[in-house]
Every structure is written in structure tokens, then in C-alpha cells.
Amino acid sequence: MYVLIGGSGLVGLSLAQKLIELGHTVAVIDIDPNACRYAREQVGAMAFEGSAVSTQVLLEAGIRKADALAAVLRSDALNLAMVTLAKHYGVPHIVTRMRHSDFAEPFKLAGANHIIGAVELAVSTMVNAIEYPQVESMMHFEQGQIEVLKLAIPNKCYVVNRSIAEIAQDSRFPTGSLIIGYQPHPNEDLTIPNGSTVLEPESTILVVTKPGSLHQMIDFIEGCK
């Protein structure tokens, strides 16, 4: 894919580097010539010096052929302008960083496919790390309406040596939740389990649940026999 990134700060450059590692062609736009030079020489991206909300610069950067665009500029207003222009030029996939939640609706109306609330995401991640230290990682989807947890299975917990089907049928298993991934040991690949998959001690699972069911899910998984 050809991906256009507005802003070559820490987020923009990190995003560019990761996308290049994944095999995508990346171009960044920034008003800072030093940032552009760094993007070219150290990251391996194309770089266009100028305003990311200038139609002339965007056209020069090839916005009409872009498969995706990420707006990670220094303000929500600038990101909103870039999203609007990206939609105007027909970019099929538009991602933006949002600093203030007041911009959520304007970003949607402007055509953003994904809106990443940077501050809210960071705070939520830190709160979860403090409140649920046993959760190895947690991802949020649909503006926090769905959570995906990565949980270790303790040696003597209730679910050890039980099948996925048995666990799902247990009345204490949170309604609407689903075990979607299973890793028997740290050095093995994550797999998609089926009903007959048996959870081994010290294995790891991925669970989809609702925010209101987090405590219930963790208590169920970690419950002693």
C-alpha cells in the first residue's frame, strides 16, 4: 500500500517505520525540513516539506494514489482539515489521532474511518495496568464497547484442564464473552481454539468481553478449584 502520513513527530515517524517494516511504501509531510531529512535518511520514507493541509503539497505527495492516510499533526484542527482533504481526494482509508474528544463527531463527519483518542487511550491503558495487573495486555474496540484481554492461566485455577466448551457453558462465565485465542506455552504460536481445546496450566488465552464484565471474567479465570 501507499500510505501518506501528515506529521513527522514521534508518532508519525514511529508509524512510518513500522509500516515500512511491514512492506508498505510510506511518504510523510511536515513543515520541518530537519524532520523530513530524518524521515528520509533514518526511516527510509519519502518526505515532502510543507503543510500537510496544503492542497499543492498533498497533490505533490500523491494523495490521489494513496491507499491510506494517517493524520497525526500537532492539533485536532489541522488533523480535521487533513481528514477533510483526504476524503475529498478519495483516499479509501483515513486514520486520525484525536487529542480532544469534542472532535470525535467532526472527524466522523469529515470521513475518518478510525479515530485514535491519544490521551484517552493512554489514560485507559495506564488505569487498566494499575487496576488489572494480571492482564498481560488489553485492547479496546468500538470506542471501548469491546475489550480483548490477554490472560495467563494460573496453575491451580478453576479452568485448568477444562475444555473451551465446558468453560463457555459454565454459568459463571460472563455472558457475551468468547475465548478467541490460545497459546499453550510462551514459545508456541497463538492458535484459534475450538470447543475441545483444553486449557493447560501456565498457558495464555485471548478473551473478548465487555468492559462491565472485566472483573467477573478475571475472577472466573483466576478462581481456585
Side-chain angles (χ1 to χ4, degrees):
M1 288 196 303
Y2 181 55
V3 184
L4 203 56
I5 299 175
S8 60
L10 179 61
V11 174
L13 290 175
S14 299
L15 177 60
Q17 185 167 22
K18 187 64 178 177
L19 289 170
I20 289 170
E21 289 172 0
L22 291 170
H24 300 294
T25 302
V26 178
V28 299
I29 302 174
D30 200 283
I31 59 174
D32 184 350
N34 293 324
C36 289
R37 183 164 56 251
Y38 184 90
R40 293 189 198 98
E41 297 176 358
Q42 303 299 322
V43 179
M46 292 183 285
F48 296 84
E49 185 181 339
S51 170
V53 296
S54 162
T55 54
Q56 180 180 342
V57 175
L58 288 169
L59 289 169
E60 182 185 347
I63 193 170
R64 284 199 173 105
K65 66 177 182 180
D67 301 294
L69 177 143
V72 289
L73 298 163
R74 63 182 180 274
S75 75
D76 284 328
L78 288 172
N79 285 331
L80 180 59
M82 191 176 191
V83 167
T84 303
L85 289 168
K87 185 68 175 179
H88 171 75
Y89 285 114
V91 179
H93 194 65
I94 305 169
V95 180
T96 184
R97 176 173 61 174
M98 179 178 67
R99 296 177 182 272
H100 198 288
S101 58
D102 285 352
F103 278 80
E105 195 61 29
F107 278 131
K108 289 179 186 177
L109 293 173
N113 303 105
H114 292 282
I115 302 163
I116 311 300
V119 175
E120 290 84 355
L121 181 60
V123 170
S124 178
T125 300
M126 286 187 279
V127 168
N128 288 330
I130 293 168
E131 191 171 5
Y132 309 110
Q134 62 274 69
V135 178
E136 293 185 20
S137 65
M138 187 181 299
M139 294 172 284
H140 315 270
F141 297 93
E142 296 300 319
Q143 284 74 53
Q145 298 178 56
I146 299 172
E147 308 281 4
V148 179
L149 316 177
K150 185 177 183 181
L151 284 166
I153 304 299
N155 282 322
K156 297 181 180 180
C157 72
Y158 177 69
V159 299
V160 163
N161 297 324
R162 300 184 72 199
S163 70
I164 297 290
E166 287 180 279
I167 293 167
Q169 291 168 8
D170 194 300
S171 60
R172 291 169 294 178
F173 189 74
T175 304
S177 301
L178 187 67
I179 297 174
I180 61 170
Y182 181 60
Q183 186 177 24
H185 301 287
N187 60 342
E188 294 186 35
D189 292 335
L190 185 73
T191 61
I192 298 174
N194 56 42
S196 63
T197 302
V198 175
L199 302 188
E200 299 176 17
E202 298 186 3
S203 59
T204 302
I205 58 172
L206 284 184
V207 184
V208 177
T209 191
K210 297 178 181 179
S213 301
L214 284 177
H215 276 299
Q216 186 183 351
M217 176 61 71
I218 293 170
D219 289 344
F220 174 78
I221 295 296
E222 294 191 333
C224 294
K225 292 182 178 180

